[in-house]
């Protein structure tokens, strides 16, 4: 899929931050990836290994936290977990709901050697 | 060893370029049409452009991995078309905001266009993750693909504003239950408007044309 272009983006952002903070090498990259994105964590790790070669990210461990899909009912404001696709409020049965979590792709933190 | 906070959206660059594209398109109305390969995106455009071009100036941006086949088909309708080939960007499976920006930079007299149509690469998964700077997202599904596709590819159907159900002329010949399909859609996206038509026979194409007219005129 497009894990390679995502890995490239991560690499660029992390290298900029490394330079800003006078770091030498990245040891760990902590990501938050939403359940509802099309990203497959293993594929992303594999893609990252490839794009990180010969860069200060070469030996970095990529830690991926998966963000659960959560919706909120616009009627009764209840927040609930979405597992199977039943976008109906478990409290008031309204279908007027909005997915509020599960589509993120965020670099949270990195650990670097100075 | 030091831990550095970043908290940055990986898609930030794409989002920024998408916003730039919005400004470049300005008063023009822009739609991003997505579907599986073969659902009928290009045929839908061929069926509706002859009518729409009488009222509006239209530019079509075509996205494919390879070939200019679709741009050629659009040009034959007498409408301006620009072909993006993702093989020139590494062979990707979707369009991103940067590709659209580069296409827009090459299109002359942009301000004369009332409608920009982006026909995305045939793919029900990845295009859903990439905003291009469009005003509305349209997903095309055909009756030959099965009534459960919205459940299998939920993100695409969640982010779409309108669903065009194409090839309704084939309903007597395929296992596609309209009632189950509508139930499936309601489970994924209660707000999704469904337009049922046949791009091939022209049945109900007016509803699609009308929707575009409403959108274009609302933005002006």
């Amino acid at each position: 899929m497009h894990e390679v272009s995502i890995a490239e983006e991560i690499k660029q952002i992390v290298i900029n931050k490394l330079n800003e903070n006078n770091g030498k090498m990245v040891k760990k990259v902590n990501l938050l990836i939403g359940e509802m994105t099309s990203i497959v964590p293993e594929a992303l790790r594999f893609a990252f290994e490839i794009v990180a070669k010969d860069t200060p990210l070469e030996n970095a461990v990529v830690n991926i936290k998966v963000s659960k899909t959560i919706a909120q009912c616009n009627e009764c404001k209840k927040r609930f977990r979405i597992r199977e696709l039943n976008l109906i409020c478990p409290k008031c049965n309204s279908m007027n709901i909005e997915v509020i979590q599960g589509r993120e792709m965020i670099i949270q933190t990195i650990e670097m050697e100075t | 060893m030091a831990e550095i906070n970043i908290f940055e959206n990986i898609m930030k660059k794409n989002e920024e370029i998408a916003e730039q594209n919005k400004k470049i398109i300005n008063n023009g109305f822009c739609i991003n049409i997505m579907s599986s390969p073969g659902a009928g995106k290009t045929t839908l455009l061929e069926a509706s452009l002859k009518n729409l071009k009488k009222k509006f100036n239209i530019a079509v941006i075509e996205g494919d991995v390879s070939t200019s086949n679709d741009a050629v088909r659009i040009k034959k309708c007498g409408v301006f078309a620009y072909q993006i080939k993702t093989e020139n960007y590494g062979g990707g499976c979707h369009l991103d905001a940067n590709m659209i920006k580069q296409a827009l930079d090459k299109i002359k007299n942009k301000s004369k266009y009332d409608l920009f149509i982006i026909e995305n690469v045939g793919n029900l998964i990845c295009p859903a993750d990439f905003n291009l700077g469009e005003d509305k997202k349209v997903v095309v599904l055909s009756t030959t693909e099965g009534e459960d596709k919205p459940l299998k590819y939920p993100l695409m159907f969640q982010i779409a504003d309108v669903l065009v159900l194409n090839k309704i002329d084939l309903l007597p010949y395929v296992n596609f239950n309209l009632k189950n399909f509508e139930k499936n859609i309601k489970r994924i996206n209660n707000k999704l408007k469904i337009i049922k038509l046949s791009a091939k026979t022209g049945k109900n194409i007016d509803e699609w044309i009308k929707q575009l007219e409403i959108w274009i005129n609302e933005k002006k």
Side-chain angles (χ1 to χ4, degrees), chain B residues 69-148:
Chain B
N69 293 352
D70 288 355
V72 167
R73 286 168 65 178
I74 300 299
K75 285 175 188 172
K76 282 197 175 129
C77 298
V79 170
F80 174 82
Y82 181 93
Q83 180 78 54
I84 299 173
K85 292 182 207 169
T86 66
E87 65 190 356
N88 295 334
Y89 293 90
C93 50
H94 59 273
L95 294 177
D96 65 27
N98 182 45
M99 294 173 195
I100 297 300
K101 173 137 197 319
Q102 294 197 6
L104 288 171
D105 285 344
K106 298 225 171 74
I107 295 173
K108 296 186 186 132
N109 302 320
K110 283 181 276 283
S111 54
K112 77 172 186 187
Y113 294 111
D114 306 294
L115 176 63
F116 288 83
I117 299 174
I118 301 170
E119 187 189 326
N120 217 312
V121 179
N123 179 343
L124 269 184
I125 303 178
C126 309
D129 276 331
F130 293 85
N131 286 327
L132 306 176
E134 70 276 18
D135 293 289
K136 294 286 180 189
K137 294 184 203 282
V138 175
V139 62
V140 179
L141 186 76
S142 64
T143 58
T144 51
E145 293 175 75
E147 68 210 34
D148 65 348

Side-chain angles (χ1 to χ4, degrees), chain B residues 160-211:
Chain B
D161 297 293
V162 163
L163 187 161
V164 171
L165 180 67
N166 191 23
K167 306 187 189 179
I168 57 171
D169 53 312
L170 295 181
L171 277 170
Y173 312 106
V174 294
N175 281 336
F176 190 98
N177 184 309
L178 264 173
K179 276 212 168 73
N180 286 347
F181 167 70
E182 279 161 358
K183 249 192 243 162
N184 291 340
I185 290 294
K186 276 214 143 57
R187 286 172 68 183
I188 306 296
N189 183 351
N190 199 31
K191 300 186 188 92
L192 184 59
K193 177 175 175 177
I194 305 172
I195 299 176
K196 303 180 195 101
L197 53 76
S198 166
K200 182 169 184 235
T201 67
K203 180 158 189 189
N204 203 32
I205 204 96
D206 285 338
E207 194 182 342
W208 162 245
I209 291 172
K210 216 181 206 158
Q211 176 64 80

